């Protein structure tokens, strides 16, 4: 899978996407992640990437020219371009799975008040929000999106099964997990998990997951997104 990132802050991507699973996916050639500095596509001597909004008001707007030139020079023709914004459709695991099934896509990270509207009209194919809160830029949302997508690319997760069993895979929150020791500071692991009765363990986990979902996320519990499993 190829993912192109367009940003004014390329250094932000060196940390989180160069560790752990994403790092291994890149090393193994499962992920071709390319980060492009929008400022490299400016043409004036001050490398100006933003400007004041027409009509006045606070903040700055990303200029269209460097973004158009970056897309045209660095991203293969026809590649979908995702723009991260609180005005976008809320990100869901279904959308993550849809993106993971693609051969490639690009992500545009805005800053300040956002991008010139002509970029959205002419270049952006979908707008995605990672939640109803305001960040300083689209870089963290882009990293969240890439992380969620890449772990669904076949071969990236060590244990393919773990992805399927986790929270949201079936529209239900995850069950509690325990490891050794059996008792820690007086807190014991539930007996059923030590019983060796696989049927009872599976039932306990399902009940725990459903109870948690009802309690913490009644909105999810009412939806029932179960893809046939559970
Ligand atoms: N921003 N989900 C403002 C976000 C955001 C979000 C990105 C801040 C775009 C211009 N993006 N810039 N929430 O808060 O995606």
């Amino acid at each position: 899978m190829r993912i192109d990132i367009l940003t004014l802050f390329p250094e932000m991507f060196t940390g989180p996407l160069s560790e752990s699973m994403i790092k291994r996916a890149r090393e193994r050639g499962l992920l071709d992640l390319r980060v492009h500095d929008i400022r490299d596509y400016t043409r004036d001597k001050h490398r100006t990437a933003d400007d004041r909004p027409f009509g006045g008001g606070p903040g700055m707007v990303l200029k269209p020219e460097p973004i158009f030139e970056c897309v045209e020079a660095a991203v293969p023709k026809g590649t979908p371009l995702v723009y991260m914004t609180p005005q976008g459709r809320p990100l869901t695991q279904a959308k993550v799975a849809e993106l993971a099934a693609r051969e490639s896509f690009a992500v545009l990270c805005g800053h300040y008040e956002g991008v010139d509207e002509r970029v959205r009209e002419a270049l952006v194919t979908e707008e995605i929000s990672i939640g109803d809160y305001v960040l300083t830029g689209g870089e963290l949302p882009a990293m969240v999106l890439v992380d969620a997508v890449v772990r669904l690319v076949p071969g990236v997760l060590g244990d393919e099964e773990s992805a399927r069993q986790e929270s949201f895979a079936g529209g239900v929150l995850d069950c509690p997990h325990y490891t050794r020791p059996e008792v820690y500071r007086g807190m014991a692991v539930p007996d059923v998990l030590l019983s060796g009765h696989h049927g009872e363990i599976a039932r306990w986990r399902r009940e725990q997951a459903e109870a948690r979902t009802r309690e913490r996320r009644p909105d999810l519990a009412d939806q029932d997104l179960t893809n046939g499993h559970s």
Side-chain angles (χ1 to χ4, degrees):
M1 161 170 283
R2 170 167 168 174
I3 304 177
D4 290 272
I5 307 274
L6 284 62
T7 174
L8 279 176
F9 300 95
E11 328 76 47
M12 285 183 71
F13 290 85
T14 55
L17 301 181
S18 304
E19 292 294 334
S20 185
M21 293 197 339
I22 309 285
K23 180 188 191 176
R24 280 200 301 277
R26 296 176 80 171
E27 287 168 354
R28 292 161 62 202
L30 298 170
L31 171 66
D32 177 9
L33 183 79
R34 307 187 191 197
V35 181
H36 309 281
D37 187 345
I38 293 167
R39 203 175 297 281
D40 289 344
Y41 297 85
T42 56
R43 290 172 181 270
D44 64 311
K45 79 164 187 279
H46 299 291
R47 298 177 27 106
T48 311
D50 59 350
D51 205 341
R52 296 157 66 197
F54 276 125
M60 301 289 269
V61 176
L62 296 199
K63 292 169 64 59
E65 307 97 308
I67 298 175
F68 272 80
E69 299 211 11
C70 181
V71 167
E72 287 162 1
V75 181
K77 239 186 183 26
T79 305
L81 179 61
V82 176
Y83 178 55
M84 306 308 302
T85 170
Q87 276 88 55
R89 297 251 295 263
L91 183 61
T92 61
Q93 191 63 22
K95 184 68 186 181
V96 169
E98 188 208 294
L99 288 167
R102 296 186 195 177
E103 178 184 311
S104 61
F105 62 92
V107 187
L108 173 61
C109 308
H111 242 270
Y112 321 113
E113 302 316 303
V115 297
D116 186 285
E117 189 64 19
R118 290 163 292 190
V119 169
R120 301 161 80 140
E121 288 172 1
L123 299 178
V124 170
T125 59
E126 57 225 293
E127 302 187 19
I128 297 178
S129 168
I130 65 159
D132 293 335
Y133 38 78
V134 182
L135 302 167
T136 57
E139 284 77 16
L140 288 167
M143 287 185 243
V144 166
L145 181 70
V146 168
D147 188 90
V149 167
V150 170
R151 65 185 284 289
L152 295 187
V153 171
V156 169
L157 276 196
D159 182 359
E160 299 275 332
E161 197 59 12
S162 66
R164 196 178 63 77
Q165 299 220 356
E166 264 175 67
S167 289
F168 289 116
V172 172
L173 298 184
D174 206 0
C175 63
H177 301 283
Y178 294 89
T179 186
R180 289 185 293 182
E182 282 182 27
V183 181
Y184 181 64
R185 299 194 180 189
M187 299 177 283
V189 173
D191 285 334
V192 62
L193 296 179
L194 311 173
S195 69
H197 293 122
H198 299 296
E200 280 182 39
I201 291 169
R203 184 157 60 96
W204 180 84
R205 285 179 169 159
R206 199 162 47 240
E207 287 168 357
Q208 289 288 318
E210 281 165 9
R212 271 189 175 187
T213 307
R214 286 249 161 251
E215 204 166 293
R216 302 181 188 189
R217 295 293 306 276
D219 57 317
L220 277 183
D222 292 340
Q223 287 186 56
D224 186 19
L225 302 167
T226 52
N227 274 319
H229 352 282
S230 91

